[in-house]
Amino acid sequence: MERKLEPAVGRRRFIVAAVATPLILASEGSAPKKVFAATPSCGNDLTPPQTAGPFFKPRSPRRITLIDPGMQGDKFSVVGRVLTTSCQPVSEALIDFWHCDANGQYDNRGYRFRGHQFCDDEGRFSLETMLPGIYPGRTRHIHVIVQAANHRPLTTQLYFPGEALNERDWIFDPRLLMETAFAGGQRKGTFDFVLDLG
Ligand code: FE
């Protein structure tokens, strides 16, 4: 697969972070401060890989919203973090999302419902899109490739809880279920990816 990271940018930011870290620690005094108050049991919850399927397209546009003007349907958003097995954030991780439209169709000519983004310094990502439809043989899902700089990409899929077809889809894996809730009249999901960078 063609490499899509931007190593020059990542290296520069890494150097900035490495220089800045001692200053932050010094300003917090001698007591070590935990960066994240609540962390999952990352070590036992490696995000499992799944097939990319036949519809991945390289060189997707860099964007956090896949919603184009005039799109009809139900909006959906998902947020989360990319973490290591020791629950440390993976800053600048690349995440490439793609999914079918409400009618179960992938855009294989253009880049509708395709886009990649980079996590922030705390490993956070945020995707805004429309609720994918379903197509024969599959339950509702979102394809994703997650890649930490200088590591192999993880290709996997995200699933929606409460879907009747989950039980009949042989690719479905409950470990890849998002947590979803309705807020502001819109379905929203959360999911944390855990990568083995050892
Ligand atoms: Fe698919």
Side-chain angles (χ1 to χ4, degrees), residues 40 45-50 76-81 125 138-142 144 156-169 171-181 187-194:
D45 296 325
L46 269 180
T47 304
Q50 291 214 307
F76 177 74
S77 62
V78 55
V79 298
R81 290 188 296 167
F125 69 89
R138 294 303 319 275
T139 189
R140 201 181 312 276
H141 63 280
I142 295 174
V144 55
T156 191
Q157 303 182 28
L158 297 179
Y159 295 97
F160 295 77
E163 296 283 336
L165 289 172
N166 284 349
E167 304 306 318
R168 287 189 273 158
D169 182 336
I171 301 175
F172 170 77
D173 186 328
R175 295 174 293 176
L176 294 166
L177 279 169
M178 294 177 281
E179 289 186 16
T180 65
R187 197 173 183 187
K188 299 183 177 183
T190 60
F191 191 86
D192 289 340
F193 297 93
V194 179

Side-chain angles (χ1 to χ4, degrees), residues 105-141:
Q105 300 290 319
Y106 285 90
D107 181 7
N108 296 312
R109 307 182 71 163
Y111 288 93
R112 199 162 52 99
F113 297 125
R114 299 175 186 273
H116 75 271
Q117 60 181 275
F118 291 88
C119 295
D120 68 12
D121 289 344
E122 295 181 332
R124 292 193 179 92
F125 69 89
S126 173
L127 176 73
E128 296 175 6
T129 188
M130 309 293 287
L131 194 67
I134 54 174
Y135 54 90
R138 294 303 319 275
T139 189
R140 201 181 312 276
H141 63 280

